[in-house]
Amino acid sequence: MQIFTTPLLIAVLALLVGIYLPHTDAQATCATTGCLNGVCLLPPAVAVPTCSCSQGFQLDPTNATICNDIDECAPNPYICGYGRCVNTPGSYYCMCYPPYVAIYPYTSCFYYQPPQQNFFQNPFSLFLFDDLFDFDLF
């Protein structure tokens, strides 16, 4: 078998063994400690196993394996404008006061005025029971 003795293949195998064997301890560290609300990054991407937090989370200063939720509402309670900010894991949403409404992704409030209906456009709109009965007059 001539293929196993080529210098190129030996160099590739040595490179793979040199890169991946020393980092089994790092892989074991990530596997046992994990990274709550984030991803554990391994060498060679980083020097040591590191927790990379998901969007809306930040690394806990006392425990490097935990990512805590960032409360977007606390530093700016008026972030929604005409509504109440509600913190969620990794994000927030707005509960708007009428006549304001939240539009996806529900992170701000916009003024909404429903269109005014003219009596001459629909004379039956004055009746409260208009939607209850569905019949034709003619």
Side-chain angles (χ1 to χ4, degrees):
M1 293 210 163
Q2 189 71 12
I3 193 166
F4 291 111
T5 59
T6 61
L8 179 62
L9 184 61
I10 293 172
V12 169
L13 288 174
L15 182 65
L16 289 175
V17 169
I19 289 176
Y20 290 106
L21 283 182
H23 302 298
T24 54
D25 292 336
Q27 292 170 351
T29 302
C30 278
T32 56
T33 60
C35 185
L36 185 63
N37 298 317
V39 177
C40 190
L41 300 178
L42 294 169
V46 291
V48 294
T50 306
C51 190
S52 176
C53 299
S54 302
Q55 182 177 353
F57 293 89
Q58 64 186 0
L59 198 60
D60 189 312
T62 60
N63 188 344
T65 63
I66 297 176
C67 294
N68 294 325
D69 177 47
I70 298 171
D71 188 354
E72 294 85 0
C73 300
N76 186 6
Y78 302 106
I79 194 169
C80 293
Y82 294 95
R84 185 171 61 90
C85 181
V86 178
N87 189 49
T88 60
S91 188
Y92 72 97
Y93 68 91
C94 297
M95 293 182 62
C96 303
Y97 306 127
Y100 293 86
V101 294
I103 300 173
Y104 184 82
Y106 313 111
T107 54
S108 58
C109 295
F110 300 95
Y111 181 74
Y112 174 73
Q113 182 177 4
Q116 297 294 324
Q117 191 171 30
N118 188 343
F119 172 74
F120 296 107
Q121 290 174 341
N122 185 2
F124 296 103
S125 65
L126 293 177
F127 298 108
L128 296 175
F129 55 85
D130 183 39
D131 291 328
L132 297 176
F133 302 100
D134 187 24
F135 57 89
D136 294 327
L137 295 177
F138 300 104

